[in-house]
Amino acid sequence: MIYLDNAATSFPKPPEVIRAMAGVMEKIGGNPGRAGHAGALAGGRIMENCRELAAQYLRVSTPENIIFCLNCTDALNMAIRGTLHQGDEVIVSHGEHNAVMRPLMGYHAAGKITLRMLPPDERGLLSPDAVRAAIGPKTALCVLCHASNVTGVIQPAREIARACHEKGVPLLLDAAQTAGTEDLAPIHADMIAMPGHKGLLGPMGTGLLYVGKGILPRPLREGGTGSASESMLQPAMLPDRLESGTANLPGIAGLSQGLKFILRHQGAIAEYEHFLALRLRQGLKNISGLTVYGADDAPRVGVVSFNIRDRDSGEVADTLSMQKFALRGGLHCAPAIHAWLGTRGAVRASLGPFNTEGDVDALIAAVGEMTK
């Protein structure tokens, strides 16, 4: 199989990720924070080590502000539902995933918030000036999809964050497609939602939410934290406030090793994926009858989406799957950007650090054969 679905989850994982997960299951029989025996203490050290690695990646000095989540969707819900109030206004980009739009649209439909979706320019980029102009007295939050999971275009997040901060509005960054490849530290986002299982190279069922200084979201779940057990009220301090219940310790152990991998290869991974994506875009653009989405002169991650004339994207992806290519067809849980592109879906190839030039060339050849 030629795996080209890294935007959904990265594969394969570094061997050390798998070894770390198995090691927890085989050798550590303790629940972190729930006992004082050696196994529980070892589990606690694994969790704190993972927080410190994530803080190192983001270049922040407060590991306690790194919250373990189920996935990026969980992190986004935690940030959105934990900070908004009745009557708030929220600004979003056109490229938001349903992980952002569904909780916001639910609040909007219930009359709890006002929602403003800002259109991009012709390259698919959101203007910081447009964000600055849109902010009003009731604007409580701006949510930005850092890179589209359809076109791969990276938004000018640093400048948008600056525009928000000039008006005193926090920015929530959806880093589903950029965590692990792009440098998120210079953006200075107030909250960052990250999947553990994509660019961070950890296992499924893991995610992280960075909560910046002065932000204290209301918890979605309340319960046992292993701390302040004498109180029947949820602890106020981070990370316990947002981390009730038993953690996914095997997943967190694997995520730690994924973080170590990307910290060792930071910069090189992004450069390599950009190289492969450019090779793929150029090769597909040379095929007659093909439409490749996203402006060539816009910054991007390793995501390339295309359509073959009027053929259904799902059918094309299924046909290529029978030729051992792992791709994704359809709307990619991002219907707003497909509406902006004027498509009813697209075939998406998304590259990872373990893909090769041979993988790219094989896909170009297979798609070329389909168009004949």
Side-chain angles (χ1 to χ4, degrees):
M1 177 179 69
I2 295 179
Y3 188 82
L4 295 166
D5 196 21
N6 290 277
T9 195
S10 58
F11 180 82
K13 306 296 182 183
E16 53 265 41
V17 170
I18 299 166
R19 288 196 299 267
M21 296 177 69
V24 167
M25 300 296 287
E26 291 171 352
K27 299 176 182 178
I28 298 179
N31 193 331
R34 270 64 176 180
H37 57 75
L41 294 175
R45 286 193 291 273
I46 289 171
M47 292 182 67
E48 294 317 304
N49 180 60
C50 189
R51 276 191 231 280
E52 290 168 2
L53 288 166
Q56 182 182 343
Y57 168 58
L58 295 176
R59 300 203 292 281
V60 297
S61 59
T62 51
E64 65 273 15
N65 286 48
I66 305 289
I67 311 300
F68 292 119
C69 307
L70 302 174
N71 42 52
C72 194
T73 297
D74 189 43
L76 288 164
N77 271 264
M78 194 177 291
I80 290 168
R81 298 183 188 278
T83 58
L84 293 181
H85 297 85
Q86 182 76 37
D88 283 345
E89 179 184 75
V90 180
I91 293 172
V92 297
S93 77
H94 74 296
E96 302 305 323
H97 190 276
N98 279 342
V100 168
M101 292 310 300
R102 285 181 171 171
L104 288 177
M105 286 300 293
Y107 277 173
H108 178 71
K112 294 182 179 180
I113 65 166
T114 302
L115 188 58
R116 296 190 65 180
M117 182 182 292
L118 302 183
D121 64 18
E122 65 280 358
R123 296 189 298 162
L125 296 173
L126 182 61
S127 163
D129 288 336
V131 173
R132 188 179 290 106
I135 292 174
K138 293 187 176 181
T139 306
L141 183 66
C142 179
V143 187
L144 179 68
C145 177
H146 192 196
S148 169
N149 70 330
V150 179
T151 66
V153 169
I154 301 174
Q155 297 295 331
R158 184 175 184 175
E159 292 76 15
I160 290 173
R162 188 178 298 121
C164 289
H165 295 158
E166 287 172 6
K167 298 291 187 77
V169 172
L171 174 69
L172 166 59
L173 190 73
D174 176 0
Q177 300 301 328
T178 54
T181 55
E182 303 301 316
D183 186 0
L184 306 181
I187 296 171
H188 299 297
D190 301 275
M191 294 182 284
I192 306 176
M194 298 171 280
H197 64 102
K198 297 185 184 182
L200 296 180
L201 303 180
M204 296 183 209
T206 60
L208 299 169
L209 175 66
Y210 166 68
V211 179
K213 183 179 179 181
I215 297 178
L216 198 64
R218 300 179 300 277
L220 294 187
R221 297 177 296 275
E222 296 181 328
T225 59
S227 61
S229 295
E230 72 282 356
S231 174
M232 293 186 185
L233 296 175
Q234 188 75 0
M237 75 283 194
L238 295 175
D240 296 29
R241 177 180 177 86
L242 302 175
E243 285 185 359
S244 292
T246 295
N248 177 8
L249 185 61
I252 291 169
L255 178 56
S256 288
Q257 295 302 318
L259 281 160
K260 287 181 181 179
F261 186 96
I262 66 148
L263 285 168
R264 286 197 304 271
H265 302 285
Q266 198 165 8
I269 292 176
E271 184 178 349
Y272 182 60
E273 290 182 11
H274 293 167
F275 163 73
L276 292 179
L278 180 60
R279 185 183 185 95
L280 179 56
R281 285 182 64 84
Q282 290 175 337
L284 292 175
K285 279 179 169 288
N286 288 331
I287 299 174
S288 177
L290 214 69
T291 302
V292 181
Y293 298 103
D296 288 330
D297 60 345
R300 64 182 65 256
V301 294
V303 172
V304 181
S305 294
F306 63 93
N307 273 319
I308 300 175
R309 298 188 182 91
D310 57 353
R311 293 182 65 172
D312 178 76
S313 62
E315 180 265 330
V316 172
D318 288 345
T319 301
L320 289 167
S321 176
M322 290 186 284
Q323 299 178 44
K324 307 303 182 184
F325 293 96
L327 304 162
R328 183 176 176 185
L331 292 172
H332 314 99
C333 299
I337 193 164
H338 278 283
W340 178 74
L341 290 169
T343 73
R344 293 176 294 174
V347 183
R348 183 184 70 191
S350 46
L351 300 148
F354 302 111
N355 285 122
T356 66
E357 293 177 61
D359 295 341
V360 168
D361 294 344
L363 178 62
I364 293 168
V367 173
E369 286 296 314
M370 290 185 69
T371 63
K372 289 182 180 178

